[in-house]
């Protein structure tokens, strides 16, 4: 089509040429013909869209990732640094020549040619630098800085990291107003984050190596070691530069306080305090627990411990006699020579409530375990226990058996589940005819959706070996259960018969398993409890945790006797034998009642913040950190659900002191009719009160308030600041790199492989839509018009 149009245009031009030749000189006619044909050629070329193409040869260099730790531990000033470390850092920051860095303890004597007063000034100024300052100056100081050398070798890329990694530029990093980006999450350290970011960078050029300036401290296990292995396989060496003194600072600190969310009046909750006593090994340190209430009659509790270079746990049994919210403080007296005194005390709250744990005890025959357990709960004022006993002996005298033997049913009026008001369900050796698959599904819902605690107590007759229930198999914390028995040798003392109870490390920290305030004493008590002669055992599931093992005197294989697993919103505990009643031998109720009583309180620990006969209310967890959203819930009783539905329109008011600062509406959970949920926006650190208000409902005469503590992020990052040299050495070894100090980091470029490649980059530029093309066309037509007009042509 284009060619046809061009031929037609040429024909018209030639016809004009012949027609005009009689009116104008020959030279003018030929000029007009040439201009017109040139214009047609330009138009035709535009229609064909010509392109100018050429090739550029470009030199390509490899990438070098430079990663700097900006977490809170890097803000540490290493005042305890040794003289060789100080000399190394002086060279790194450019205040001392590299050749003057020698491994000597004589830091007082200045290097040759350096005045003593100048030397003293340098070492004094050095003590004011943080690890982050040293890392920055190691990278950037001087005309032959590490960064400059890397630029000659390749293309350096800069990353900053804490709990996460972000890329940045050297210009921004050197800015005097520079601040640690919040996106790096400086309250945490994850070494795998920058390694992963560096390896996922621009893949158009190869990654020659990773330079990692850090103290090597991690707040949680990461995949850094696995990534280092991958780096080694891909020939990407990692060069860690260890920043910080490997000499431990002298400091007494409270790392954490682990206290219950809330307790019943009359209980003795256990408070666990994790302390660090670095630098004071061999000395006695006092840990003091006191009240912050001036009018209280509380007597301070003091525990004296022998300091060591590792952290240790100090435990207190705290009396809980007065109802309400109580504030306490744990402190360590200041000692001379400490690096800081700011971490010598921590405060916490404890809510003492007057409430009961609701328990359902289900069994088949009235075996000894059932009898003593029913008696124990009947005597416990803080436990409201219902019983279902399916197989009861009867003389036919009473019209009904002593204990109910009817399975709880769904309330048709409210739609509440069969176990709507229960916190703990204990299922014993029930025959499968009485515990059908439908009933196991109700128990499954109680655990997974209602957040209840289900305790399954093994039985030789039925549970679990007589069952073929898919739901039971999901709930059980063990796989392939089977019966194991241990032969009793004649004349064996009763306390030595069977498998001896032995706490696992995980079980030793669990509240239900505490029989003494001291961890060593508690373990000794468990070791002396009467053992189990039989047990139904199996392989613990991957998500399960063994709390207690059974071990025999002959040194045979241990069997798991108490196994716990979280399941949905709740949890399941498997008790592999029914012999806890034997713990009463020579100790009466001391251990048996305490174990089952603490288990009941453990089951209701999350619902004790505030409550009455109508509702249990409070935050999902007692303590939150700054920037965390607070989840609150109201768990209504079946009695409350008998009220009209509009009565469940409840709100939560948030108070700071006497001021109401937020108001949040609770929304009913569509799948769990007894539960209403709400979310409070993040709050600053401090202590708050949450008040439940249901304007149209009857919630009783008392105001329902639950305490809430918002804490600054936990100081896990600063709990241990000693550089982790073994980890950094491992990263270097696995990746084919080498570990450096700031003073010799300038040698790293020598270890990086050289890479240079020529890349041909094709270039194209279209000509038809460029302005010069249109200028040529307009010029041709303009000249043609001028010539025609000057020669009298139309």
């Amino acid at each position: 089509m284009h060619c046809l149009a061009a031929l037609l245009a040429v024909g018209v031009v030639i016809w004009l040429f012949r027609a005009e030749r009689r009116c104008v000189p020959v030279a003018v006619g030929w000029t007009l013909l040439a201009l017109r044909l040139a214009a047609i050629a330009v138009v035709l070329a535009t229609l064909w869209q010509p392109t100018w193409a050429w090739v550029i040869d470009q030199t390509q260099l490899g990438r070098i990732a430079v990663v700097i730790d900006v977490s809170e531990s890097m803000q540490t000033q290493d005042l305890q640094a040794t003289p060789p470390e100080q000399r190394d850092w002086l060279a790194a920051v450019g205040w001392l020549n590299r050749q003057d860095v020698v491994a000597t303890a004589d830091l007082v004597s200045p290097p040759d040619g350096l005045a003593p007063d100048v030397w003293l000034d340098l070492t004094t100024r050095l003590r004011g630098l943080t690890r982050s300052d040293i890392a920055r100056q190691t990278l950037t100081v001087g005309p032959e800085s590490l960064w400059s050398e890397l630029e000659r070798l390749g293309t350096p890329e800069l990353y900053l990291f804490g709990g996460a990694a972000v890329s940045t530029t050297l210009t921004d990093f050197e800015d005097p107003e520079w601040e640690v980006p919040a996106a790096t999450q400086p309250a945490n350290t994850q070494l795998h984050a920058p390694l992963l970011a560096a390896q996922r960078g621009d893949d158009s050029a190869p990654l020659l190596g990773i330079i990692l300036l850090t103290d090597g401290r991690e707040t949680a296990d990461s995949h850094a070691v696995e990534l280092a292995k991958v780096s080694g396989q891909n020939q990407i060496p990692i060069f860690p530069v260890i920043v910080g003194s490997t000499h431990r600072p002298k400091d007494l600190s409270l790392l954490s306080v682990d206290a219950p969310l809330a307790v019943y009046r009359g209980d003795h909750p256990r408070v666990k305090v994790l302390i660090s006593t670095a630098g004071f090994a061999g000395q006695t340190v006092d840990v003091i627990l006191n009240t912050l209430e001036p009018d209280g009659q509380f007597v301070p509790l003091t525990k004296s411990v022998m300091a060591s270079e590792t952290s240790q746990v100090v435990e207190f049994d705290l009396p809980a006699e007065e109802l309400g919210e109580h504030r306490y403080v744990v402190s360590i007296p200041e000692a001379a020579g400490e690096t800081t005194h700011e971490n010598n005390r921590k405060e916490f709250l404890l809510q003492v409530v007057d409430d009961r744990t609701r328990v359902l005890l289900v069994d088949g025959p009235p075996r000894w375990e059932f009898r003593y357990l029913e008696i124990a709960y009947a005597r416990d004022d803080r436990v409201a226990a219902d019983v279902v006993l399916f197989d009861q002996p009867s003389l036919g005298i009473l019209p009904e058996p002593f204990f109910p033997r009817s399975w709880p049913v769904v309330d048709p009026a409210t739609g509440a589940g069969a176990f709507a008001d229960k916190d703990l369900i204990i299922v014993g050796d029930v025959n499968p005819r009485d515990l059908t698959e439908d009933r196991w599904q109700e128990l499954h819902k109680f655990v997974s959706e209602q957040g209840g605690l289900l305790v399954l107590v093994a039985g030789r007759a039925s549970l679990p070996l007589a069952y073929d229930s898919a739901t039971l198999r999901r709930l059980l914390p063990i796989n392939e259960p089977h019966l194991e028995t241990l032969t009793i040798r004649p004349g064996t003392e009763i306390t030595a018969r069977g498998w001896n109870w032995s706490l696992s490390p995980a079980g030793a920290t669990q509240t239900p398993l505490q029989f003494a305030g001291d961890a060593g004493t508690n373990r000794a008590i468990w070791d002396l409890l009467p053992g189990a002669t039989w047990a139904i055992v199996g392989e613990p599931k991957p998500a399960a945790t063994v709390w207690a093992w059974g071990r025999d005197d002959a040194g045979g294989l241990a069997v798991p006797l108490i196994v716990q697993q979280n399941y949905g919103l709740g949890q399941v505990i498997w008790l592999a034998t029914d012999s806890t009643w034997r713990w009463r031998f020579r100790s009466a109720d001391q251990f048996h009642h305490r174990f089952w009583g603490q288990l009941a309180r453990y089951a209701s620990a999350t619902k004790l913040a505030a409550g009455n006969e109508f509702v249990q209310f409070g935050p999902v967890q007692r303590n939150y950190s700054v920037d965390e959203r607070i989840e609150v819930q109201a768990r209504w009783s079946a009695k409350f659900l008998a009220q009209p539905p509009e009565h469940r329109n409840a709100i939560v008011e948030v108070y700071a002191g006497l001021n109401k600062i937020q108001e949040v509406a609770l929304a009913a959970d569509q799948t769990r009719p007894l539960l209403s949920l709400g979310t409070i926006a993040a709050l600053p650190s401090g202590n708050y009160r949450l008040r439940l208000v249901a304007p149209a409902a009857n919630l009783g005469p008392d105001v329902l308030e639950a305490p809430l503590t918002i804490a600054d992020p936990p100081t896990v990052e600063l709990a241990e600041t000693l550089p982790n040299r073994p980890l950094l050495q491992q990263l270097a070894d696995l990746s084919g790199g080498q570990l450096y100090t700031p003073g010799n980091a300038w040698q790293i470029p020598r270890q990086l492989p050289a890479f240079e490649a020529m890349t041909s980059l094709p270039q194209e530029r279209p000509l038809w839509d460029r302005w010069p093309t249109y200028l040529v066309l307009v010029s041709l037509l303009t000249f043609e018009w001028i010539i025609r007009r000057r020669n009298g042509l139309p």
Side-chain angles (χ1 to χ4, degrees):
M1 182 65 69
H2 293 166
C3 293
L4 186 60
L7 290 175
L8 180 62
V10 171
V12 172
V13 167
I14 293 175
W15 178 80
L16 285 175
F17 170 71
R18 290 177 176 176
E20 294 172 344
R21 191 168 50 179
R22 297 187 295 268
C23 302
V24 295
V26 174
V28 173
W30 285 106
T31 300
L32 290 173
L33 177 63
L35 289 173
R36 290 165 180 166
L37 290 176
I40 292 173
V42 171
V43 172
L44 185 61
T46 301
L47 294 176
W48 284 342
Q49 300 182 1
T51 300
W52 177 29
W54 73 98
V55 175
I56 295 178
D57 292 330
Q58 187 177 60
T59 302
Q60 184 183 39
L61 301 176
R63 298 184 298 120
I64 305 167
V66 181
V67 178
I68 298 184
D69 187 348
V70 293
S71 64
E72 291 178 356
S73 66
M74 290 293 288
Q75 308 310 313
T76 302
Q77 293 176 326
D78 292 276
L79 305 180
Q80 77 286 0
T82 62
E85 290 172 334
Q86 290 181 320
R87 282 181 175 266
D88 184 88
W89 301 343
L90 285 170
V93 300
W95 297 352
L96 191 65
N97 292 329
R98 295 169 181 170
Q99 58 268 26
D100 291 330
V101 179
V102 293
T104 176
D106 184 16
L107 188 63
V108 177
S109 301
D112 295 340
L114 195 64
D117 57 335
V118 175
W119 176 248
L120 180 61
D121 177 64
L122 289 178
T123 56
T124 302
R125 289 166 53 197
L126 179 66
R127 293 186 178 93
L129 297 183
T130 65
R131 294 175 181 177
S132 182
D133 295 331
I134 294 173
R136 182 190 300 195
Q137 296 188 42
T138 298
L139 181 65
T140 62
V141 166
E144 298 183 358
S145 66
L146 177 58
W147 185 269
S148 299
E149 294 298 320
L150 294 176
E151 284 183 318
R152 297 188 182 99
L153 187 64
T155 304
E157 300 173 345
L158 184 59
Y159 296 88
L160 308 177
F161 79 98
V166 299
S167 61
T168 188
T169 64
L170 186 66
T171 302
D172 291 341
F173 189 54
E174 289 184 309
D175 190 331
E177 303 298 324
W178 177 86
E179 294 183 355
V180 176
T184 61
Q185 302 175 20
N188 300 285
T189 306
Q190 298 285 335
L191 283 176
H192 78 277
L195 300 181
L196 194 59
Q199 296 185 37
R200 288 179 174 176
D202 181 11
D203 58 1
S204 62
L207 182 60
L208 304 182
I210 301 174
I211 301 174
L212 180 62
L213 291 94
T214 178
D215 55 16
R217 295 310 319 177
E218 287 196 290
T219 53
D221 292 336
S222 71
H223 309 295
V225 172
E226 287 75 11
L227 286 175
K229 293 178 182 178
V230 174
S231 294
Q233 295 169 359
N234 295 331
Q235 298 183 344
I236 304 174
I238 299 175
F239 300 97
V241 180
I242 184 169
V243 184
S245 174
T246 56
H247 184 68
R248 187 176 294 276
K250 190 175 182 180
D251 187 36
L252 299 175
S253 62
L254 288 169
L255 303 181
S256 66
V257 176
D258 181 13
L261 303 179
V263 297
Y264 295 132
R265 181 169 61 179
D267 284 348
H268 287 77
R270 178 153 301 158
V271 178
K272 299 180 181 180
V273 183
L274 182 64
I275 67 170
S276 173
T277 54
F280 293 87
Q283 302 182 38
T284 300
V285 175
D286 291 335
V287 183
I288 303 170
L289 190 154
N290 204 353
T291 182
L292 291 173
E293 301 168 8
D295 299 332
Q297 303 299 317
F298 185 81
V299 178
L301 304 176
T302 301
K303 290 286 186 74
S304 297
V305 298
M306 186 63 66
S308 67
E309 292 301 320
T310 58
S311 58
Q312 53 186 308
V313 176
V314 180
E315 298 183 352
F316 295 91
D317 281 332
L318 186 62
E321 302 297 337
E322 297 184 13
L323 296 176
E325 181 181 293
H326 301 280
R327 295 172 57 84
Y328 297 93
V329 60
V330 182
S331 62
I332 300 177
E334 298 178 1
E338 280 192 81
T339 303
T340 178
H341 301 303
E342 296 181 359
N343 51 12
N344 285 43
R345 59 179 278 138
K346 281 187 178 293
E347 300 178 8
F348 68 94
L349 292 175
L350 183 70
Q351 181 83 359
V352 180
V353 298
D354 194 3
D355 202 352
R356 307 179 81 188
T357 300
R358 295 168 176 82
V359 178
L360 176 63
L361 178 58
V362 183
D363 216 324
R367 53 183 180 162
W368 288 111
E369 191 74 282
F370 167 82
R371 296 179 186 184
Y372 284 111
L373 181 52
E374 192 276 331
I375 292 172
Y377 282 153
R379 294 177 179 175
D380 194 329
D381 294 336
R382 299 303 174 193
V383 175
D386 293 330
V387 174
V388 175
L389 189 65
F390 288 106
D391 302 325
Q392 301 180 47
S394 175
L395 297 176
I397 299 175
L398 298 175
E400 295 292 336
F402 185 80
F403 293 111
R405 54 185 178 191
S406 299
W407 186 255
V409 296
V410 175
D411 187 341
T414 64
F419 313 117
D421 62 343
K422 296 297 183 283
D423 304 303
L424 167 65
I425 298 178
I426 303 171
V427 177
D429 201 19
V430 182
N431 191 289
R433 70 172 181 272
D434 298 314
L435 209 49
T436 61
E437 183 66 12
D438 290 343
R439 292 177 176 179
W440 278 115
Q441 290 176 2
E442 292 178 13
L443 291 171
H444 181 276
K445 185 175 181 180
F446 164 75
V447 176
S448 62
E449 298 182 10
Q450 189 174 321
L453 172 62
L454 175 64
V455 177
L456 301 174
V457 183
R460 299 190 69 164
S462 298
L463 188 70
L465 300 182
Y467 283 86
D468 184 18
S469 167
T471 305
L472 173 59
R473 286 193 292 271
R474 291 199 301 271
L475 290 171
L476 271 176
I478 60 173
N479 289 318
E480 301 180 1
H482 59 278
L483 176 65
E484 293 276 358
T485 59
L486 201 61
T487 303
I488 302 175
R489 295 186 297 273
T492 303
E493 172 69 25
I494 189 172
T495 56
R497 296 176 184 174
W499 287 287
N500 299 320
W501 297 84
S502 177
L503 292 181
S504 70
T509 65
Q510 300 301 321
T511 303
L513 309 187
Q514 304 301 316
F515 292 150
D518 177 71
T521 304
N522 186 54
R523 285 186 176 276
I525 292 174
W526 276 89
D527 291 342
L528 296 176
L529 290 175
T533 58
W534 67 270
I536 296 179
V537 300
E539 183 68 23
K541 291 180 178 178
T545 303
V546 177
W547 282 5
W549 295 92
R551 306 181 187 279
D552 66 357
D553 292 334
L557 292 176
V559 295
L561 294 182
I562 304 178
V563 186
Q564 179 271 351
Q565 86 171 347
N566 295 323
Y567 195 96
L569 296 179
Q571 52 185 312
V572 181
I573 294 178
W574 170 247
L575 192 57
T577 184
D578 67 351
S579 63
T580 65
W581 62 273
R582 299 178 68 233
W583 296 352
R584 303 179 74 258
F585 180 71
R586 294 179 181 173
S587 62
D589 299 336
Q590 182 178 4
F591 302 125
H592 179 265
H593 283 202
R594 183 165 181 174
F595 170 75
W596 288 103
Q598 290 179 159
L599 196 60
R601 287 155 176 78
Y602 174 81
S604 59
T606 59
K607 63 99 180 176
L608 293 178
N612 55 25
E613 59 182 316
F614 299 107
V615 64
Q616 294 293 331
F617 159 71
V620 173
Q621 60 191 59
R622 178 66 173 281
N623 298 316
Y624 286 84
S625 295
V626 174
D627 298 331
E628 278 190 289
R629 293 165 45 140
I630 300 100
E631 304 292 333
V632 293
Q633 64 177 3
R635 202 176 94 189
W636 311 102
S637 67
K639 181 178 180 180
F640 178 82
L641 291 188
Q643 299 185 31
E646 61 270 15
H647 287 193
R648 279 176 258 172
N649 295 329
I651 60 175
V652 176
E653 298 174 342
V654 184
Y655 287 86
L658 299 177
N659 300 320
K660 184 170 73 172
I661 60 174
Q662 276 194 52
E663 186 175 285
V664 177
L666 296 183
D669 189 293
Q670 298 301 317
T671 60
R672 293 172 289 178
L674 290 179
L675 197 63
S676 294
L677 305 172
T679 302
I680 299 173
L683 297 169
S685 60
N687 298 312
Y688 300 87
R689 290 177 294 116
L690 306 181
R691 179 178 297 174
L692 180 65
V693 179
N698 175 20
L699 295 181
D702 298 326
V703 175
L704 288 176
E705 288 189 342
L708 173 67
T709 299
I710 306 297
D712 290 321
T715 58
V716 177
E717 172 70 19
L718 299 178
E720 174 62 88
T721 59
L722 191 69
N724 192 345
R725 186 184 185 93
L727 174 59
L728 298 181
Q729 185 67 63
Q730 187 180 18
L731 297 183
D733 294 341
L734 291 174
S735 64
Q738 185 175 334
L739 180 64
Y740 288 86
T741 64
N744 61 16
W746 58 274
Q747 300 176 6
I748 294 178
R750 301 178 181 178
Q751 305 299 321
L752 290 169
F755 176 84
E756 183 175 319
M758 296 298 295
T759 303
S760 296
L761 301 177
Q763 304 289 319
E764 291 185 351
R765 178 175 295 175
L767 299 179
W768 60 274
D769 62 349
R770 309 292 292 180
W771 66 266
T773 303
Y774 295 102
L775 180 61
V776 170
L777 179 61
V778 172
S779 299
L780 290 172
L781 296 177
T782 301
F783 286 135
E784 189 270 348
W785 179 82
I786 293 173
I787 293 174
R788 282 192 296 109
R789 299 304 295 173
R790 292 189 63 177
N791 288 274
L793 294 176

